[in-house]
Short mmCIF file of all heavy atoms in Angstrom, two decimals:
data_model
loop_
_atom_site.label_atom_id
_atom_site.label_comp_id
_atom_site.label_asym_id
_atom_site.label_seq_id
_atom_site.Cartn_x
_atom_site.Cartn_y
_atom_site.Cartn_z
N ILE A 1 -8.01 6.46 7.56
CA ILE A 1 -6.86 7.37 7.75
C ILE A 1 -5.59 6.76 7.15
O ILE A 1 -4.81 7.44 6.49
CB ILE A 1 -6.67 7.65 9.26
CG1 ILE A 1 -7.84 8.49 9.76
CG2 ILE A 1 -5.35 8.38 9.50
CD1 ILE A 1 -7.86 8.67 11.27
N ALA A 2 -5.40 5.47 7.37
CA ALA A 2 -4.22 4.81 6.82
C ALA A 2 -4.23 4.84 5.30
O ALA A 2 -3.20 5.06 4.65
CB ALA A 2 -4.18 3.36 7.33
N ARG A 3 -5.43 4.60 4.71
CA ARG A 3 -5.55 4.66 3.26
C ARG A 3 -5.26 6.05 2.74
O ARG A 3 -4.55 6.22 1.74
CB ARG A 3 -6.94 4.21 2.83
CG ARG A 3 -7.18 4.24 1.32
CD ARG A 3 -8.54 3.67 0.96
NE ARG A 3 -9.61 4.33 1.67
CZ ARG A 3 -10.13 5.53 1.31
NH1 ARG A 3 -9.62 6.17 0.26
NH2 ARG A 3 -11.13 6.06 2.01
N LEU A 4 -5.82 7.07 3.42
CA LEU A 4 -5.58 8.45 3.00
C LEU A 4 -4.11 8.82 3.13
O LEU A 4 -3.55 9.51 2.27
CB LEU A 4 -6.45 9.40 3.82
CG LEU A 4 -7.95 9.32 3.56
CD1 LEU A 4 -8.73 10.22 4.52
CD2 LEU A 4 -8.26 9.72 2.11
N LYS A 5 -3.50 8.38 4.22
CA LYS A 5 -2.07 8.64 4.41
C LYS A 5 -1.25 7.99 3.28
O LYS A 5 -0.30 8.58 2.75
CB LYS A 5 -1.61 8.13 5.75
CG LYS A 5 -2.04 8.99 6.94
CD LYS A 5 -1.48 8.43 8.24
CE LYS A 5 -1.84 9.34 9.41
NZ LYS A 5 -1.31 8.80 10.70
N ALA A 6 -1.63 6.77 2.92
CA ALA A 6 -0.94 6.07 1.83
C ALA A 6 -1.10 6.79 0.51
O ALA A 6 -0.14 6.94 -0.28
CB ALA A 6 -1.44 4.64 1.73
N GLU A 7 -2.34 7.27 0.27
CA GLU A 7 -2.59 8.03 -0.96
C GLU A 7 -1.79 9.32 -0.98
O GLU A 7 -1.21 9.69 -2.01
CB GLU A 7 -4.07 8.30 -1.09
CG GLU A 7 -4.91 7.07 -1.40
CD GLU A 7 -6.39 7.37 -1.47
OE1 GLU A 7 -6.75 8.56 -1.24
OE2 GLU A 7 -7.20 6.47 -1.77
N LEU A 8 -1.76 10.01 0.18
CA LEU A 8 -0.98 11.24 0.27
C LEU A 8 0.51 10.98 0.06
O LEU A 8 1.20 11.74 -0.62
CB LEU A 8 -1.22 11.93 1.62
CG LEU A 8 -2.60 12.57 1.82
CD1 LEU A 8 -2.75 13.06 3.25
CD2 LEU A 8 -2.77 13.74 0.85
N ALA A 9 1.00 9.88 0.64
CA ALA A 9 2.40 9.53 0.49
C ALA A 9 2.72 9.21 -0.98
O ALA A 9 3.75 9.61 -1.50
CB ALA A 9 2.74 8.33 1.38
N ALA A 10 1.78 8.50 -1.62
CA ALA A 10 1.99 8.17 -3.04
C ALA A 10 1.99 9.42 -3.90
O ALA A 10 2.80 9.57 -4.80
CB ALA A 10 0.90 7.20 -3.50
N GLN A 11 1.06 10.35 -3.59
CA GLN A 11 1.00 11.60 -4.34
C GLN A 11 2.25 12.43 -4.11
O GLN A 11 2.80 13.04 -5.02
CB GLN A 11 -0.25 12.38 -3.94
CG GLN A 11 -1.55 11.76 -4.45
CD GLN A 11 -2.76 12.53 -4.01
OE1 GLN A 11 -2.66 13.46 -3.21
NE2 GLN A 11 -3.93 12.15 -4.53
N ALA A 12 2.71 12.45 -2.84
CA ALA A 12 3.92 13.19 -2.53
C ALA A 12 5.12 12.60 -3.27
O ALA A 12 5.97 13.32 -3.80
CB ALA A 12 4.17 13.19 -1.03
N ALA A 13 5.16 11.25 -3.30
CA ALA A 13 6.26 10.60 -4.03
C ALA A 13 6.19 10.91 -5.52
O ALA A 13 7.22 11.14 -6.17
CB ALA A 13 6.21 9.09 -3.79
N LEU A 14 4.96 10.90 -6.08
CA LEU A 14 4.79 11.22 -7.50
C LEU A 14 5.20 12.66 -7.79
O LEU A 14 5.88 12.92 -8.79
CB LEU A 14 3.31 11.01 -7.89
CG LEU A 14 2.96 11.33 -9.35
CD1 LEU A 14 3.78 10.45 -10.31
CD2 LEU A 14 1.46 11.14 -9.60
N ILE A 15 4.78 13.59 -6.91
CA ILE A 15 5.14 15.00 -7.10
C ILE A 15 6.66 15.17 -7.00
O ILE A 15 7.27 15.89 -7.80
CB ILE A 15 4.44 15.87 -6.06
CG1 ILE A 15 2.93 15.89 -6.35
CG2 ILE A 15 5.00 17.29 -6.06
CD1 ILE A 15 2.11 16.57 -5.26
N ALA A 16 7.27 14.47 -6.04
CA ALA A 16 8.72 14.55 -5.91
C ALA A 16 9.42 14.01 -7.16
O ALA A 16 10.38 14.58 -7.66
CB ALA A 16 9.18 13.79 -4.66
N SER A 17 8.88 12.88 -7.67
CA SER A 17 9.46 12.29 -8.87
C SER A 17 9.30 13.21 -10.07
O SER A 17 10.22 13.39 -10.86
CB SER A 17 8.79 10.95 -9.15
OG SER A 17 9.23 10.40 -10.38
N GLN A 18 8.11 13.81 -10.17
CA GLN A 18 7.87 14.76 -11.27
C GLN A 18 8.76 15.98 -11.12
O GLN A 18 9.23 16.53 -12.13
CB GLN A 18 6.40 15.15 -11.30
CG GLN A 18 5.47 14.03 -11.76
CD GLN A 18 4.00 14.42 -11.67
OE1 GLN A 18 3.63 15.34 -10.93
NE2 GLN A 18 3.19 13.71 -12.42
N GLY A 19 8.97 16.41 -9.87
CA GLY A 19 9.85 17.55 -9.65
C GLY A 19 11.27 17.25 -10.09
O GLY A 19 11.93 18.08 -10.73
N VAL A 20 11.75 16.03 -9.75
CA VAL A 20 13.10 15.62 -10.17
C VAL A 20 13.16 15.54 -11.69
O VAL A 20 14.12 16.01 -12.32
CB VAL A 20 13.46 14.26 -9.53
CG1 VAL A 20 14.76 13.72 -10.15
CG2 VAL A 20 13.58 14.40 -8.04
N SER A 21 12.10 14.96 -12.29
CA SER A 21 12.08 14.84 -13.75
C SER A 21 12.04 16.21 -14.41
O SER A 21 12.72 16.45 -15.42
CB SER A 21 10.85 14.02 -14.18
OG SER A 21 10.77 13.93 -15.59
N LEU A 22 11.23 17.12 -13.82
CA LEU A 22 11.14 18.47 -14.38
C LEU A 22 12.47 19.20 -14.25
O LEU A 22 12.90 19.87 -15.19
CB LEU A 22 10.03 19.25 -13.64
CG LEU A 22 9.79 20.69 -14.11
CD1 LEU A 22 9.37 20.69 -15.59
CD2 LEU A 22 8.73 21.37 -13.26
N ALA A 23 13.11 19.05 -13.08
CA ALA A 23 14.41 19.68 -12.89
C ALA A 23 15.44 19.13 -13.87
O ALA A 23 16.25 19.87 -14.43
CB ALA A 23 14.88 19.49 -11.45
N HIS A 24 15.38 17.81 -14.11
CA HIS A 24 16.29 17.18 -15.06
C HIS A 24 16.02 17.70 -16.47
O HIS A 24 16.96 18.02 -17.23
CB HIS A 24 16.14 15.66 -15.01
CG HIS A 24 17.05 14.93 -15.92
ND1 HIS A 24 18.42 14.94 -15.78
CD2 HIS A 24 16.79 14.15 -17.03
CE1 HIS A 24 18.97 14.23 -16.74
NE2 HIS A 24 18.01 13.73 -17.51
#
């Protein structure tokens, strides 16, 4: 569960970063 949560958090961070990059 901890590993999956970490992966989800990393994916969420990546999506957020891509969203910021896309908006920019």
Side-chain angles (χ1 to χ4, degrees):
I1 292 171
R3 179 175 55 79
L4 292 175
K5 285 182 176 180
E7 290 178 357
L8 288 173
Q11 290 178 352
L14 178 60
I15 291 172
S17 175
Q18 290 175 338
V20 171
S21 178
L22 181 61
H24 181 64

